[in-house]
Amino acid sequence: MLKAVLRGLAAASLAVLPLTVPAPAHAAETLPLTDAITRLSVDTESREGYDRDAFRHWNAGANPSDGCNTRAEVLISEAVEPPTVGPNCRLSGGRWWSYYDQVWVTSASSLDLDHMGPLAEAWDSGASGWSAQRREAYANDQGAEASLVAVTARSNRAKADRDPAEWLPPAAEVHCRYVAEWVGTKLRWALTADEAEVAALREVADGCPDQSVT
């Protein structure tokens, strides 16, 4: 399957990252959502010095030989009905499910790739101290399926750079999944969370007794 080719040997689950490597390097651990939240490091956030260009994207992707950048590779991987891949990786046709707002999308150009942890929010939470290489790895991360999510442009832009204290998907039935993916991403990349963020995560988690984070 194309998905397996694109992601290769990268972990499909979320693993806690040491700060010195650009991608997951060891086995995953699965925890109840409430327990995973307790693993987050709580700290204040600062956006001082943030520049979106500090996170290079989209690069040549997980398979530089396929002629597709990260955005195209993720769209191909996440398509429920695969698109046709033309010259210069031009995508036509295909069908996607935008889980944030529970909408079917039939045009790749109508989709945004959402960074589960927005770039600005990542900067606030520790990425300001990363190397350019590590920030590029984060911005193009295909090592976990939750890192980059194909969703409607409308829902992605409504989220913008906000954390779960400020924004949750409009479809209430996916809040448990979303919060689990948020927490997993933060743990995987060793990013911190502020107090308001953690409080919001705990509030959602209280209604998700069966949700786990890997």
Side-chain angles (χ1 to χ4, degrees):
M1 294 175 63
L2 181 56
K3 185 171 186 176
V5 173
L6 292 177
R7 299 189 188 272
L9 297 177
S13 55
L14 305 174
V16 177
L17 271 174
L19 284 173
T20 55
V21 298
H26 52 78
E29 178 181 5
T30 299
L31 298 167
L33 175 57
T34 51
D35 291 350
I37 292 170
T38 68
R39 299 282 189 95
L40 292 169
S41 296
V42 181
D43 202 353
T44 57
E45 297 183 351
S46 171
R47 195 155 299 181
E48 182 178 357
Y50 171 67
D51 182 351
R52 186 174 175 82
D53 291 339
F55 294 82
R56 179 174 173 247
H57 64 290
W58 305 109
N59 65 17
N63 180 12
S65 67
D66 65 7
C68 298
N69 65 13
T70 298
R71 171 183 160 81
E73 287 183 350
V74 173
L75 289 177
I76 293 167
S77 174
E78 294 193 1
V80 178
E81 296 176 9
T84 298
V85 183
N88 300 315
C89 201
R90 182 178 179 84
L91 306 183
S92 59
R95 195 167 184 238
W96 293 263
W97 177 247
S98 173
Y99 96 79
Y100 289 1
D101 45 4
Q102 307 284 280
V103 172
W104 285 105
V105 180
T106 56
S107 171
S109 63
S110 298
L111 291 160
D112 279 359
L113 284 196
D114 179 45
H115 290 91
M116 175 55 61
L119 302 183
E121 217 282 334
W123 179 274
D124 299 350
S125 306
S128 60
W130 291 353
S131 67
Q133 179 186 21
R134 185 169 175 81
R135 285 195 288 265
E136 180 179 351
Y138 181 85
N140 296 275
D141 181 21
Q142 294 189 63
E145 293 183 356
S147 294
L148 294 168
V149 190
V151 294
T152 59
R154 176 179 62 253
S155 62
N156 181 52
R157 293 165 197 181
K159 173 181 173 178
D161 57 10
R162 297 188 286 178
D163 69 28
E166 303 163 312
W167 186 89
L168 289 167
E173 61 267 35
V174 305
H175 286 182
C176 293
R177 171 185 172 181
Y178 180 82
V179 164
E181 292 180 350
W182 180 279
V183 172
T185 300
K186 285 250 167 162
L187 290 175
R188 185 167 177 268
W189 287 92
L191 292 167
T192 63
D194 64 26
E195 291 183 357
E197 180 183 344
V198 170
L201 294 170
R202 286 174 176 157
E203 182 176 353
V204 173
D206 285 344
C208 307
D210 300 321
Q211 183 69 53
S212 63
V213 175
T214 303

